[in-house]
Short mmCIF file of all heavy atoms in Angstrom, two decimals:
data_model
loop_
_atom_site.label_atom_id
_atom_site.label_comp_id
_atom_site.label_asym_id
_atom_site.label_seq_id
_atom_site.Cartn_x
_atom_site.Cartn_y
_atom_site.Cartn_z
N ARG A 1 1.75 14.87 0.28
CA ARG A 1 3.01 14.22 0.10
C ARG A 1 2.95 12.69 0.22
O ARG A 1 3.53 11.91 -0.51
CB ARG A 1 4.11 14.73 1.07
CG ARG A 1 4.51 16.19 0.70
CD ARG A 1 5.43 16.73 1.75
NE ARG A 1 5.89 18.08 1.42
CZ ARG A 1 6.56 18.91 2.33
NH1 ARG A 1 6.73 18.48 3.57
NH2 ARG A 1 6.93 20.05 1.93
N ARG A 2 2.14 12.28 1.25
CA ARG A 2 2.03 10.83 1.45
C ARG A 2 1.40 10.10 0.28
O ARG A 2 1.82 9.05 -0.12
CB ARG A 2 1.16 10.55 2.76
CG ARG A 2 1.05 9.06 3.07
CD ARG A 2 2.36 8.52 3.58
NE ARG A 2 2.42 7.08 3.63
CZ ARG A 2 2.88 6.28 2.63
NH1 ARG A 2 3.34 6.83 1.49
NH2 ARG A 2 2.92 4.97 2.82
N MET A 3 0.39 10.71 -0.26
CA MET A 3 -0.23 10.09 -1.42
C MET A 3 0.66 10.09 -2.66
O MET A 3 0.73 9.12 -3.42
CB MET A 3 -1.57 10.81 -1.80
CG MET A 3 -2.62 10.63 -0.78
SD MET A 3 -4.17 11.51 -1.19
CE MET A 3 -4.69 10.57 -2.61
N SER A 4 1.42 11.20 -2.85
CA SER A 4 2.40 11.26 -3.96
C SER A 4 3.47 10.22 -3.78
O SER A 4 3.88 9.58 -4.73
CB SER A 4 3.03 12.71 -4.00
OG SER A 4 3.96 12.76 -5.03
N ASP A 5 4.00 10.11 -2.56
CA ASP A 5 5.05 9.13 -2.32
C ASP A 5 4.56 7.68 -2.59
O ASP A 5 5.19 6.87 -3.14
CB ASP A 5 5.57 9.21 -0.85
CG ASP A 5 6.41 10.44 -0.63
OD1 ASP A 5 6.87 11.01 -1.60
OD2 ASP A 5 6.67 10.82 0.52
N PHE A 6 3.32 7.43 -2.12
CA PHE A 6 2.79 6.08 -2.29
C PHE A 6 2.60 5.82 -3.86
O PHE A 6 2.97 4.76 -4.28
CB PHE A 6 1.43 5.95 -1.58
CG PHE A 6 0.76 4.63 -1.83
CD1 PHE A 6 1.27 3.47 -1.16
CD2 PHE A 6 -0.31 4.46 -2.72
CE1 PHE A 6 0.67 2.26 -1.41
CE2 PHE A 6 -0.88 3.26 -2.96
CZ PHE A 6 -0.39 2.13 -2.28
N ASP A 7 2.00 6.77 -4.55
CA ASP A 7 1.74 6.57 -5.95
C ASP A 7 3.05 6.41 -6.73
O ASP A 7 3.07 5.67 -7.76
CB ASP A 7 0.92 7.68 -6.50
CG ASP A 7 -0.55 7.61 -6.09
OD1 ASP A 7 -1.02 6.49 -5.68
OD2 ASP A 7 -1.27 8.64 -6.15
N SER A 8 4.04 7.12 -6.37
CA SER A 8 5.27 7.17 -7.14
C SER A 8 6.36 6.15 -6.70
O SER A 8 7.15 5.69 -7.51
CB SER A 8 5.93 8.61 -7.10
OG SER A 8 6.23 8.93 -5.78
N LYS A 9 6.29 5.71 -5.43
CA LYS A 9 7.30 4.85 -4.97
C LYS A 9 6.87 3.55 -4.36
O LYS A 9 7.64 2.58 -4.25
CB LYS A 9 8.17 5.61 -3.86
CG LYS A 9 8.72 6.90 -4.34
CD LYS A 9 9.34 7.68 -3.09
CE LYS A 9 9.81 9.04 -3.54
NZ LYS A 9 10.34 9.82 -2.40
N GLU A 10 5.62 3.44 -3.98
CA GLU A 10 5.13 2.23 -3.20
C GLU A 10 3.93 1.61 -3.81
O GLU A 10 3.41 0.62 -3.28
CB GLU A 10 4.87 2.68 -1.76
CG GLU A 10 5.97 3.32 -1.09
CD GLU A 10 5.56 4.05 0.24
OE1 GLU A 10 4.66 4.90 0.12
OE2 GLU A 10 6.05 3.71 1.26
N TYR A 11 3.41 2.14 -4.90
CA TYR A 11 2.13 1.69 -5.40
C TYR A 11 2.13 0.26 -5.90
O TYR A 11 2.98 -0.19 -6.57
CB TYR A 11 1.62 2.60 -6.59
CG TYR A 11 0.23 2.24 -7.02
CD1 TYR A 11 -0.88 2.77 -6.34
CD2 TYR A 11 0.04 1.40 -8.10
CE1 TYR A 11 -2.15 2.42 -6.73
CE2 TYR A 11 -1.27 1.08 -8.48
CZ TYR A 11 -2.38 1.62 -7.79
OH TYR A 11 -3.63 1.25 -8.17
N ALA A 12 1.07 -0.44 -5.49
CA ALA A 12 0.78 -1.82 -5.96
C ALA A 12 -0.65 -2.11 -5.58
O ALA A 12 -1.23 -1.42 -4.67
CB ALA A 12 1.69 -2.83 -5.38
N THR A 13 -1.30 -3.05 -6.21
CA THR A 13 -2.63 -3.46 -5.75
C THR A 13 -2.58 -4.21 -4.48
O THR A 13 -1.53 -4.72 -4.11
CB THR A 13 -3.33 -4.36 -6.88
OG1 THR A 13 -4.74 -4.39 -6.53
CG2 THR A 13 -2.73 -5.70 -6.94
N VAL A 14 -3.65 -4.22 -3.73
CA VAL A 14 -3.64 -4.84 -2.41
C VAL A 14 -4.45 -6.10 -2.41
O VAL A 14 -5.33 -6.36 -3.25
CB VAL A 14 -4.27 -3.83 -1.38
CG1 VAL A 14 -3.44 -2.59 -1.25
CG2 VAL A 14 -5.74 -3.47 -1.72
N ARG A 15 -4.09 -7.00 -1.49
CA ARG A 15 -4.80 -8.24 -1.20
C ARG A 15 -4.60 -9.35 -2.27
O ARG A 15 -5.13 -10.42 -2.14
CB ARG A 15 -6.35 -7.94 -0.96
CG ARG A 15 -6.64 -7.02 0.20
CD ARG A 15 -8.10 -7.05 0.48
NE ARG A 15 -8.91 -6.55 -0.51
CZ ARG A 15 -9.77 -5.51 -0.40
NH1 ARG A 15 -9.83 -4.82 0.70
NH2 ARG A 15 -10.48 -5.15 -1.36
N ARG A 16 -3.92 -9.00 -3.32
CA ARG A 16 -3.80 -9.97 -4.44
C ARG A 16 -2.43 -10.45 -4.74
O ARG A 16 -2.21 -11.60 -5.02
CB ARG A 16 -4.46 -9.38 -5.65
CG ARG A 16 -5.98 -9.18 -5.56
CD ARG A 16 -6.56 -8.36 -6.69
NE ARG A 16 -7.98 -8.20 -6.51
CZ ARG A 16 -8.70 -7.39 -7.29
NH1 ARG A 16 -8.14 -6.67 -8.19
NH2 ARG A 16 -10.00 -7.30 -7.07
N GLY A 17 -1.50 -9.45 -4.66
CA GLY A 17 -0.10 -9.74 -5.05
C GLY A 17 0.70 -10.37 -3.91
O GLY A 17 0.75 -9.78 -2.84
N SER A 18 1.22 -11.56 -4.14
CA SER A 18 2.05 -12.17 -3.09
C SER A 18 3.51 -11.74 -3.23
O SER A 18 4.37 -12.19 -2.45
CB SER A 18 1.92 -13.68 -3.15
OG SER A 18 2.29 -14.18 -4.38
N TYR A 19 3.75 -10.87 -4.12
CA TYR A 19 5.13 -10.29 -4.31
C TYR A 19 5.36 -9.18 -3.29
O TYR A 19 4.40 -8.70 -2.71
CB TYR A 19 5.34 -9.81 -5.73
CG TYR A 19 4.20 -9.01 -6.24
CD1 TYR A 19 4.07 -7.66 -6.10
CD2 TYR A 19 3.18 -9.63 -7.09
CE1 TYR A 19 3.03 -6.91 -6.55
CE2 TYR A 19 2.14 -8.88 -7.56
CZ TYR A 19 2.03 -7.52 -7.32
OH TYR A 19 0.98 -6.83 -7.78
N THR A 20 6.56 -8.77 -3.15
CA THR A 20 6.99 -7.91 -2.06
C THR A 20 6.21 -6.55 -2.00
O THR A 20 5.66 -6.24 -0.97
CB THR A 20 8.49 -7.61 -2.10
OG1 THR A 20 9.21 -8.80 -1.99
CG2 THR A 20 8.88 -6.65 -1.02
N ILE A 21 6.10 -5.87 -3.17
CA ILE A 21 5.53 -4.56 -3.12
C ILE A 21 3.96 -4.67 -2.90
O ILE A 21 3.39 -3.76 -2.31
CB ILE A 21 5.83 -3.70 -4.33
CG1 ILE A 21 5.34 -4.33 -5.61
CG2 ILE A 21 7.32 -3.43 -4.41
CD1 ILE A 21 5.44 -3.41 -6.81
N GLY A 22 3.41 -5.76 -3.36
CA GLY A 22 2.01 -5.98 -3.14
C GLY A 22 1.70 -6.27 -1.64
O GLY A 22 0.73 -5.75 -1.08
N GLU A 23 2.54 -7.03 -1.03
CA GLU A 23 2.38 -7.29 0.39
C GLU A 23 2.59 -6.07 1.23
O GLU A 23 1.91 -5.81 2.17
CB GLU A 23 3.36 -8.40 0.82
CG GLU A 23 3.00 -9.79 0.21
CD GLU A 23 3.93 -10.88 0.61
OE1 GLU A 23 5.08 -10.55 1.03
OE2 GLU A 23 3.60 -12.03 0.49
N ARG A 24 3.56 -5.23 0.82
CA ARG A 24 3.78 -3.96 1.52
C ARG A 24 2.56 -3.07 1.45
O ARG A 24 2.19 -2.39 2.39
CB ARG A 24 5.06 -3.31 1.08
CG ARG A 24 6.31 -3.97 1.46
CD ARG A 24 7.53 -3.33 0.89
NE ARG A 24 8.77 -4.02 1.33
CZ ARG A 24 9.95 -3.74 0.77
NH1 ARG A 24 10.09 -2.89 -0.23
NH2 ARG A 24 11.04 -4.42 1.23
N ALA A 25 2.06 -2.89 0.23
CA ALA A 25 0.86 -2.05 -0.01
C ALA A 25 -0.30 -2.54 0.81
O ALA A 25 -1.02 -1.75 1.40
CB ALA A 25 0.53 -1.99 -1.49
N THR A 26 -0.47 -3.83 0.86
CA THR A 26 -1.56 -4.40 1.64
C THR A 26 -1.38 -4.10 3.13
O THR A 26 -2.38 -3.73 3.82
CB THR A 26 -1.62 -5.95 1.40
OG1 THR A 26 -1.89 -6.21 0.03
CG2 THR A 26 -2.76 -6.58 2.24
N ALA A 27 -0.19 -4.21 3.56
CA ALA A 27 0.03 -3.92 5.02
C ALA A 27 -0.29 -2.47 5.35
O ALA A 27 -0.80 -2.17 6.37
CB ALA A 27 1.51 -4.30 5.38
N MET A 28 0.17 -1.59 4.40
CA MET A 28 -0.18 -0.13 4.65
C MET A 28 -1.63 0.10 4.60
O MET A 28 -2.19 0.90 5.39
CB MET A 28 0.63 0.68 3.63
CG MET A 28 2.06 0.82 3.78
SD MET A 28 2.94 1.89 2.61
CE MET A 28 3.02 0.78 1.19
N TYR A 29 -2.33 -0.47 3.67
CA TYR A 29 -3.76 -0.31 3.51
C TYR A 29 -4.50 -0.82 4.76
O TYR A 29 -5.36 -0.13 5.30
CB TYR A 29 -4.20 -1.09 2.26
CG TYR A 29 -5.68 -0.98 1.90
CD1 TYR A 29 -6.23 0.00 1.13
CD2 TYR A 29 -6.58 -2.00 2.33
CE1 TYR A 29 -7.53 0.03 0.81
CE2 TYR A 29 -7.90 -1.99 2.05
CZ TYR A 29 -8.31 -0.93 1.27
OH TYR A 29 -9.72 -0.90 0.95
N GLU A 30 -4.14 -1.95 5.24
CA GLU A 30 -4.77 -2.58 6.40
C GLU A 30 -4.45 -1.83 7.68
O GLU A 30 -5.22 -1.78 8.63
CB GLU A 30 -4.46 -4.05 6.56
CG GLU A 30 -5.04 -4.90 5.40
CD GLU A 30 -6.58 -4.80 5.38
OE1 GLU A 30 -7.20 -4.64 6.46
OE2 GLU A 30 -7.18 -4.84 4.30
N ASP A 31 -3.23 -1.19 7.71
CA ASP A 31 -2.95 -0.34 8.86
C ASP A 31 -3.85 0.82 8.97
O ASP A 31 -4.16 1.25 10.15
CB ASP A 31 -1.43 0.16 8.77
CG ASP A 31 -1.06 0.96 9.95
OD1 ASP A 31 -1.04 0.46 11.05
OD2 ASP A 31 -0.75 2.17 9.80
N VAL A 32 -4.34 1.33 7.92
CA VAL A 32 -5.32 2.42 7.97
C VAL A 32 -6.62 1.91 8.59
O VAL A 32 -7.23 2.65 9.37
CB VAL A 32 -5.63 3.03 6.60
CG1 VAL A 32 -6.60 4.19 6.71
CG2 VAL A 32 -4.33 3.52 5.94
N ARG A 33 -6.97 0.71 8.35
CA ARG A 33 -8.18 0.18 9.01
C ARG A 33 -7.99 0.17 10.57
O ARG A 33 -8.93 0.47 11.28
CB ARG A 33 -8.45 -1.31 8.50
CG ARG A 33 -9.87 -1.69 8.69
CD ARG A 33 -10.09 -3.16 8.22
NE ARG A 33 -9.68 -3.46 6.93
CZ ARG A 33 -10.41 -3.30 5.82
NH1 ARG A 33 -11.60 -2.82 5.89
NH2 ARG A 33 -9.86 -3.61 4.63
N VAL A 34 -6.77 -0.16 10.96
CA VAL A 34 -6.47 -0.10 12.40
C VAL A 34 -6.64 1.34 12.92
O VAL A 34 -7.17 1.60 14.03
CB VAL A 34 -5.10 -0.69 12.66
CG1 VAL A 34 -4.71 -0.53 14.13
CG2 VAL A 34 -5.02 -2.16 12.23
N GLN A 35 -6.11 2.28 12.14
CA GLN A 35 -6.20 3.69 12.57
C GLN A 35 -7.64 4.17 12.73
O GLN A 35 -7.95 4.83 13.65
CB GLN A 35 -5.47 4.57 11.49
CG GLN A 35 -3.96 4.42 11.49
CD GLN A 35 -3.39 5.30 10.44
OE1 GLN A 35 -3.02 4.80 9.27
NE2 GLN A 35 -3.29 6.59 10.70
#
């Protein structure tokens, strides 16, 4: 479900987009590194 939700509702490339959804995707991606 988490992957489906991300792909359908939150997907954006990471580390490159300074727009809102890109920054959110980057934050989620980097949070996994913390995990």
Side-chain angles (χ1 to χ4, degrees):
R1 288 174 178 168
R2 181 69 193 95
M3 293 179 68
S4 177
D5 286 346
F6 177 77
D7 285 340
S8 61
K9 302 172 185 177
E10 303 165 305
Y11 186 81
T13 194
V14 297
R15 301 192 295 240
R16 293 171 181 169
S18 57
Y19 45 85
T20 299
I21 62 171
E23 291 178 341
R24 287 176 179 169
T26 299
M28 288 183 279
Y29 181 87
E30 292 301 326
D31 181 63
V32 180
R33 201 184 306 275
V34 175
Q35 290 177 258

